[in-house]
Each structure stands twice: as structure tokens, then as C-alpha cells.
Amino acid sequence: MKTFNTTGRCIPSRHYMVNIDEKLVQIKSMVDQGDYFVINRARQYGKTTTLGCLADALREEYVVISLDFQKLSNAEFSDEKRFCVSFAKLFLRTINNKRAKITGLDINVTKTLQKLVDEESLETMGQMFEYLSLLCETAARPVILMIDEVDSASNNQIFLDFLAQLRGYYLDREQTATFHSVILAGVYDIKNLKLKIRPEEEHRFNSPWNIAETFHIDMSFSIRGIAGMLSDYESDHHTGMNISEISQSIYEYTSGYPFLISYICKTIDAMLTSGRCHGFEAWSQRGVTEAVGMILRERSTLFDSLNRQLNEHPDMRDMLRNILFQGSRYSYNLYNEAIHLGSMFGYMKNRDGSVAVSNRIFEMWLYNLFLSEDELKDATYDEAQLSRNQFVRNGVLDMDLVFRKFVAHYVDVYGQNDEEFLEKHGRKLFLLYLKPIINGTGHYYIEAETRDRDRTDVVVDYLGQQFVIEMKIWRGPQYHAEGERQLADYLEQYHLEKGYLLVFSFNRNKEVGVKEVVYEDKLLIEAVV
């Protein structure tokens, strides 16, 4: 029986996976043209799986040499001779692998190269590439070189020399035999590699990989692709799930991020196999919501990496925090280093010319992280933590009471603060108040398209209940009426009859408190602070 895989390469015969045949056709067209290129994508974005499937698809027409630089240690990049011997060993070991033996290379040339390796007489990069060129010249089919995890080699001069040799042979390939196509894979952009060659030097851009074609192929997964994977699963398990509905729900949380899709599915499958619920209950929108909540509470390599990058790049961290809590807008410009890094790591994306967080799960994780940093020093979190039990009765969350208690607390503690404080911190304070009340049982997310300096829409999921809360800055009666209409439209989308409007007002004559407003056929609970 197949399983959902979140570690290493996915194998079609062993794992449920999205069909990537269309992407492979696009990549193969680049290979057929003889392109050299880099697959730069975020961690756990399917690079290794794609390379493995591509190698399988190319073997009839090409000799495919697929290497992984993780198999070389840092010490093996310490000097030229050691690297050449280590690289050649890896190259030859790959060719002679009995489990997947590569045919089409001249055995006499490989024997000569093996002898040089055994005698450790392979001295220079130039000498090594002469034999690689000879292998390409005598091969029965064009030779493709793939190297995964090139990041592990990127910050040293030996790697630059290796790229320079590839570039030199590429430019001279009409006269000298070389690899038909070279594919490198990793997170970092090798074309714009920022290297520190010597400890005493400043970081500088220096990469000879300017021969590479830009890799534009979208490696995220579509709703249709997710549905195909779930159909495969359903044919084995017969859960009765609504495949179209579940595929849509998973996509809304992940925006097609491959690892997160598999992570959700694997978590739901574990809920099913552990006996926590039946198939139809697990594979439902509520099941997806519960799986996301479980994922956000766990530690994973993806979130560990995200946390590390935030600590190492404070400008990127500040930008993300400002986007989430203040609705700040930044033009999407990859020459801004924070935006370039955020996009390269998969945390940011371009939405209509502005920077946005790349998917809902990352947003939720970032909100939880940033709010947790304020929990210990903020009276709002303490107040909600102390009184949290009064908001839930028999598993039902009383959002009306949450609104009334928040307004009372806000007026008592923050009522005298100025306009700047209210605009900068008001919405964050409500989320700080809400978080301990639903923590561990429910969760919330922000509708990204509504987040700006004036408006933020929060959707709360709590044991199957949904609440839509619109938070707005007061900009006058006309703008307030527009907010009521927007909230009513949202309630219609979510098939809800009741919604919540929290207004932060700078008007000195405002009427602070909570009231009920009937808008068309919807009941709105409106709070003003």
C-alpha cells in the first residue's frame, strides 16, 4: 500500500504523489535544447523528486549522470586535488552502481579515470574535465549531468572553479565535447551567488554561472493535481471523501507548496489509521482544519528552517511582521535583498506587484511566532489566559462574550493611548486576546486579500464552528457602511448568518461598546474601541 511521503524523494510506485508529467515535458524541452540551468526552489519543494523522475524520463535518449553534493563533505572542497578525486569517485560510483547501472559510456575511458582516482594522481580541475570531455565525446548518447544540493558547496572558491570549467566547456562546445545539458538544483540562486571567498573579504557577488537559462517552470501543485493524487488514494481506501472539496481546501492552506500538501494528507491519513475518526470524517474540511492545527503545533524541518532564516535576516523578519500586523505594502522588487531572500526561501511571493506571504500556513505560523514573542510582556494575553474558561461552554465558543470582554479590557488598559498606538497595535492586541482562548483547540487565519492598513478579516475555526471577524480602522460613516457590506458579503461566501465587526476609532466622540446591527439578512455584532 502506498503512503504519503514528507522525507526525501517521492517514488511513484511507493508514494501517493501529484502527477508531474506536464512539468517533466517542459523541463525536457530545455534539456533537448542543450540548456544549462538551475532549479532554484525553497526547501522541500520537490526538487529531488523532480530530478529523480526527470532522470527516469531521459534515460532512453540520454546518458544521465545524477549526483548529490550532500555526499561530499566540506573537507572535500578544501583544495583542488582533493575535490577532483572526490568528485571523480562520486561520478564513477554513480556510473557503476549495480542497482541502477548506467550504460552508454566508453569503458576504456572510465577505467582510465578510475586508475587516476585509485592512484590519487588526478591533480587539477582542468585535468579532470579533460577526461569528462572524453567521456562525453565517446558516449553512445548525449550526456546529461544533474547535481542536487549544490547549496552545500556554494560558499567556496573550489565550487566557483568547478562552475568556471563547466562554463568554459559550454562556450567551446562546438569544438570540444562536453555535457549536452547541466542541471543544478538547490535553494540558492547560483547565477547571483553572494560569496565570501576569503575570511577577511566582504561578501560579494561573483559567479561564472551567467550562461544558465532562467528556470520559469511552476513547480507548485494545482487543485487539479491534488485531486489526482487524492483520487489515487481514494481508489485504495474508499473513504467517501468529496475529492473536489478537499483538494480546494488543501490548496487554500498551501497555495500548492508540495511539502505542505503531503504533510496535510499524511496527517489526515494518520488520524484515520489511528482510529481517531472514520474515513469520511477525517477526509473533510474539518479534517483538513484539524490537520493544519496539528501541523502548526509540531516542530518540523521546514519550520525550523523558517525560524533560523528569520533570526539570520532581521530585515526580512521586520518586513514580514509589518505586512502581517500593520498591513504595510512593499513593492515586489527582487533587487531588495530582504525580498530576494524571502522569495528564494519560499516565504514571500508577488501578489499584484506587492510582497505577500506565500501561503496561509506560513502566515498562521508567523502570526503564532510573533504573537508568542509578545505574550509574556502584554497584559492583553494575560487577561484572556486567566479568564479563558468562561468563553467556552459544552464545546461552543461564545464569540459575543469574547467581543464584550475584549472591549472592556481594551478601554481599561489602552483607552488613553493615542492614534498612532491604536493604528499600529490595535489589531495585534485583539489577536493576542483571542489566541489563548482558542489555543490548542481551534485556530484562526487572515484573509490575505483584505489585509491592509484599514482592514483585516479574521476567520476563526473552533471545533467545526466558523466565525468571520472584520477589523477596521474608523474612516468615517461612509467607510463604516462599506465595511458592513463587505462583512455581509463574506458571511454569504461562508454560508453564515452572523458576523463580527471590530472598529478601532480615533474619534474622540465615539460611542465605545458592543451592539447588534441587522444588515439585510445578516446579524452583525459590532464593537467600537
Side-chain angles (χ1 to χ4, degrees):
M1 190 71 73
K2 292 181 180 180
T3 59
F4 291 104
N5 179 42
T6 56
T7 56
R9 177 189 170 185
C10 289
I11 300 171
S13 62
R14 296 174 56 189
H15 302 124
Y16 295 111
M17 55 184 289
V18 172
N19 187 299
I20 60 172
D21 286 350
E22 292 182 9
K23 302 182 194 302
L24 295 178
V25 169
Q26 297 177 63
I27 301 174
K28 184 178 182 299
S29 69
M30 297 182 70
V31 172
D32 292 340
Q33 292 171 176
D35 291 339
Y36 283 33
F37 56 96
V38 182
I39 301 178
N40 288 123
R41 291 297 182 272
R43 298 210 177 278
Q44 297 177 294
Y45 215 90
K47 299 183 294 296
T48 300
T49 296
T50 300
L51 286 182
C53 293
L54 180 63
D56 294 339
L58 294 176
R59 283 201 172 97
E60 286 190 10
E61 298 178 44
Y62 299 97
V63 176
V64 181
I65 312 297
S66 185
L67 310 179
D68 185 342
F69 266 180
Q70 284 187 124
K71 295 178 179 178
L72 299 181
S73 68
N74 288 333
E76 288 169 308
F77 287 90
S78 59
D79 65 69
E80 186 170 359
K81 178 178 179 178
R82 189 165 182 179
F83 171 78
C84 291
V85 171
S86 299
F87 180 86
K89 281 182 179 178
L90 178 61
F91 192 94
L92 291 165
R93 190 163 62 244
T94 302
I95 292 171
N96 297 322
N97 184 353
K98 292 181 179 179
R99 291 189 176 185
K101 193 169 179 65
I102 295 172
T103 61
L105 295 176
D106 189 305
I107 191 170
N108 293 319
V109 180
T110 58
K111 283 183 175 179
T112 302
L113 185 58
Q114 184 69 60
K115 183 180 178 183
L116 291 171
V117 168
D118 293 341
E119 296 173 352
E120 294 196 1
S121 56
L122 201 60
E123 300 284 344
T124 66
M125 200 82 72
Q127 184 187 11
M128 180 180 75
F129 267 86
E130 285 181 10
Y131 283 97
L132 295 178
S133 174
L134 187 57
L135 274 172
C136 294
E137 183 177 4
T138 56
R141 303 182 301 281
V143 182
I144 310 298
L145 177 65
M146 298 181 182
I147 306 178
D148 198 6
E149 298 293 344
V150 291
D151 305 86
S152 58
S154 59
N155 197 28
N156 57 70
Q157 183 64 51
I158 298 297
F159 182 64
L160 283 183
D161 293 342
F162 177 76
L163 292 181
Q165 287 290 331
L166 287 173
R167 179 180 184 273
Y169 275 88
Y170 171 86
L171 294 175
D172 194 41
R173 60 182 174 173
E174 293 300 321
Q175 287 75 39
T176 307
T178 190
F179 299 108
H180 176 75
S181 177
V182 173
I183 307 168
L184 308 180
V187 174
Y188 288 87
D189 184 359
I190 305 302
K191 286 179 69 174
N192 299 296
L193 200 58
K194 198 171 188 179
L195 297 167
K196 190 173 185 179
I197 304 302
R198 299 182 182 86
E200 68 275 9
E201 289 184 345
E202 294 295 320
H203 280 87
R204 58 192 174 89
F205 290 101
N206 186 355
S207 173
W209 201 240
N210 56 4
I211 57 171
E213 289 292 329
T214 302
F215 186 78
H216 287 301
I217 296 168
D218 183 7
M219 290 179 64
S220 64
F221 294 153
S222 65
I223 297 173
R224 181 169 63 90
I226 299 170
M229 177 178 66
L230 293 182
S231 295
D232 190 14
Y233 178 90
E234 183 67 7
S235 67
D236 288 338
H237 295 271
H238 310 290
T239 67
M241 76 169 85
N242 184 327
I243 291 175
S244 176
E245 182 180 273
I246 302 307
S247 302
Q248 176 75 35
S249 183
I250 291 174
Y251 184 83
E252 286 174 354
Y253 277 107
T254 64
S255 297
Y257 200 114
F259 171 81
L260 293 175
I261 292 168
S262 294
Y263 202 175
I264 290 174
C265 293
K266 185 175 183 177
T267 304
I268 294 175
D269 184 59
M271 291 162 53
L272 179 62
T273 55
S274 66
R276 284 186 54 194
C277 48
H278 298 295
F280 182 75
E281 295 170 342
W283 290 99
S284 65
Q285 287 189 323
R286 179 171 176 177
V288 173
T289 299
E290 289 187 18
V292 169
M294 293 170 67
I295 288 169
L296 290 170
R297 290 191 292 272
E298 295 174 353
R299 292 202 65 152
S300 72
T301 53
L302 182 63
F303 295 146
D304 287 345
S305 177
L306 170 52
N307 189 53
R308 184 176 67 254
Q309 298 299 349
L310 291 176
N311 291 330
E312 291 180 0
H313 304 286
D315 289 347
M316 180 177 69
R317 180 191 186 93
D318 292 344
M319 182 177 289
L320 288 167
R321 190 174 185 123
N322 292 340
I323 289 170
L324 294 179
F325 287 117
Q326 298 179 39
S328 300
R329 291 198 176 274
Y330 298 92
S331 297
Y332 190 84
N333 187 331
L334 290 176
Y335 285 94
N336 179 309
E337 187 66 7
I339 297 172
H340 171 66
L341 289 170
S343 300
M344 187 171 65
F345 295 139
Y347 312 144
M348 297 177 179
K349 65 181 178 181
N350 183 352
R351 179 186 286 127
D352 301 326
S354 297
V355 178
V357 181
S358 60
N359 61 66
R360 185 183 290 172
I361 288 180
F362 280 171
E363 283 193 354
M364 296 165 74
W365 188 90
L366 288 166
Y367 272 115
N368 287 342
L369 174 71
F370 293 145
L371 288 174
S372 70
E373 294 172 347
D374 295 328
E375 288 171 2
L376 297 178
K377 57 186 178 183
D378 200 290
T380 300
Y381 183 87
D382 292 341
E383 173 69 19
Q385 179 78 5
L386 291 171
S387 56
R388 59 178 300 192
N389 291 333
Q390 65 182 298
F391 297 111
V392 180
R393 295 185 180 89
N394 299 319
V396 177
L397 176 62
D398 189 344
M399 187 60 74
D400 294 29
L401 183 60
V402 173
F403 255 48
R404 290 197 298 272
K405 291 291 187 179
F406 173 74
V407 170
H409 168 74
Y410 190 95
V411 172
D412 287 345
V413 179
Y414 302 105
Q416 303 305 312
N417 280 282
D418 59 16
E419 178 177 328
E420 182 181 355
F421 174 88
L422 190 61
E423 187 161 10
K424 186 175 182 180
H425 299 290
R427 286 172 286 193
K428 183 181 72 172
L429 289 172
F430 177 73
L431 295 177
L432 269 172
Y433 193 82
L434 178 66
K435 187 171 183 285
I437 296 171
I438 65 172
N439 198 29
T441 306
H443 63 253
Y444 67 88
Y445 59 86
I446 310 298
E447 287 290 2
E449 64 269 20
T450 70
R451 187 198 303 108
D452 56 33
R453 290 187 181 276
D454 291 337
R455 173 189 175 200
T456 298
D457 289 339
V458 183
V459 180
V460 178
D461 285 305
Y462 191 90
L463 295 177
Q465 302 168 266
Q466 274 198 321
F467 305 90
V468 175
I469 305 164
E470 182 164 318
M471 297 189 288
K472 294 182 71 71
I473 302 294
W474 175 264
R475 302 295 187 202
Q478 183 175 350
Y479 186 75
H480 182 75
E482 175 66 14
E484 291 178 327
R485 184 192 65 76
Q486 290 169 338
L487 177 55
D489 289 345
Y490 248 125
L491 294 175
E492 191 69 25
Q493 291 179 34
Y494 281 90
H495 307 293
L496 297 172
E497 303 301 319
K498 185 179 183 180
Y500 298 83
L501 182 61
L502 177 57
V503 179
F504 297 92
S505 175
F506 312 134
N507 190 337
R508 294 184 180 278
N509 299 319
K510 62 180 177 284
E511 184 180 343
V512 174
V514 182
K515 63 181 180 179
E516 294 185 357
V517 174
V518 177
Y519 187 93
E520 297 178 348
D521 61 340
K522 306 297 183 186
L523 177 62
L524 308 184
I525 308 301
E526 297 189 3
V528 177
V529 294

